[in-house]
Amino acid sequence: MRIAIRLLDYLTIQLPDYLNEMNMKSKFETLAIHAGQQPDPTTGAIMTPIFQTSTYVQDGVGEHRGYEYSRTGNPTRAALETCIAALEGGEFGLAFSSGMAATDTIVRTLNPGDHVLAGNDVYGGTFRLFDKEFRRYGLEFSYVDTTDLEAVRVGLRPETRLVWLETPTNPLLNVTDLAAVAEIIKAHPNRPLLVVDNTFATPYLQQPLTLGADIVVHSTTKYLGGHSDVVGGAAVMNVPELHERLAFLQNAVGAVPGPMDCFLVLRGIKTLAVRMDRHSANAAALADFLAAYPKVGKVLYPFHDAHPHAAVARKQMRSGGGMLSFVLQGGAVAAKTVAERTQIFALAESLGGVESLIEVPALMTHLSVAESDLAVDPGLVRLSVGIEHVDDLIADLEQALDKA
Ligand code: PLP
């Protein structure tokens, strides 16, 4: 039996005028709920169906309806890819099975002898992939403080093909001036690509493509998913050839997310704007509280007045986000005590969920860089500030700090 509405029709179906208009001109919050998504034409279901299928029936040999095999393409994944691209202000989105899978796929566009200039406090797993794996394939990596524009300029080599940075960084919350770095790169004779990991900020707070980046990469595991229930990644770009190459690799390598995971990220994205507003408001209040607390040596929060990059952060970000780190005067022992004594802040890796998390980077997320130049202060505590009531969060930190 032939299904009444072909899958291709589902994809290319004419949007009602009001949705077409909306998709083109809408603001972020509206795009988050509607971009790439429309009511299912067969049933009217308002939520994008989870197309839990590996293959697609063909009408004749080689005559398919837009989809052949789910590693290559899946309608739930396509909806997510369209939505993330729209939010980043980009043309093309690609979804991956994790943030690291997205990173891995982008680096695979390089050839032996190529050089990557990376930020010197990129996520520990990114450093591990570069240093422990890709170096074996003849790629070269060097690391600079990308907040220092002169260091970026000097760090570029004739063989540099990618400049890879995060802003704000994990876990030090350093902020790089994206427009300024993009300008330096564009003036370089070999025009390397600028890749920005936008996981911490999310497209709601900052849109790197509009500031001159070539590729935006995400761990959708974090704020985009938003509920600590899925692992995923994404990349967004504007140049068709770059999209074609990365889509080829996405299919050839196969690190794709399943439809259920795509559905979860799509569902999370719908509330991204309201969640980020609350994450930022709570984190800003905690930064003020911690800055006034005697046992705390330093507070790292992009919009905090004492932050060395606060002016750049205010220029390119809507608000400071939900990530906050602080250094305890009591060092490693105090950091461990605080992290083990909080009751609402759960002791866990990862970030970006609605619930607050606490961790000690030197002993947890950044253990893989312990012996390197990227090692972090053992007294550093990182918070992923959730959307609980801020009074409860402050009270929880206060009772834990009292014991440190
Ligand atoms: N980029 C950043 C900034 C991260 O914090 C992480 C994970 O913590 C990743 C990338 C890797 O993402 P995933 O864990 O989804 O592979």
Side-chain angles (χ1 to χ4, degrees), residues 98-100 123 126 166 170 197 199-200 219 221-222 231-232 351:
S98 69
M100 291 318 303
Y123 167 61
T126 302
E166 288 172 27
N170 177 11
D197 184 331
T199 299
F200 268 36
S219 168
T221 315
K222 312 297 179 339
V231 170
L351 58 111

Side-chain angles (χ1 to χ4, degrees), residues 341-366:
R341 295 295 176 91
T342 50
Q343 287 162 0
I344 296 175
F345 282 87
L347 177 59
E349 300 197 1
S350 199
L351 58 111
V354 291
E355 58 285 303
S356 292
L357 303 180
I358 188 166
E359 67 123 356
V360 181
L363 301 176
M364 296 171 68
T365 48
H366 288 63

Side-chain angles (χ1 to χ4, degrees), residues 179-193:
V181 168
E183 207 173 301
I184 293 170
I185 290 174
K186 280 175 186 149
H188 193 263
N190 294 329
R191 182 54 178 96
L193 297 180

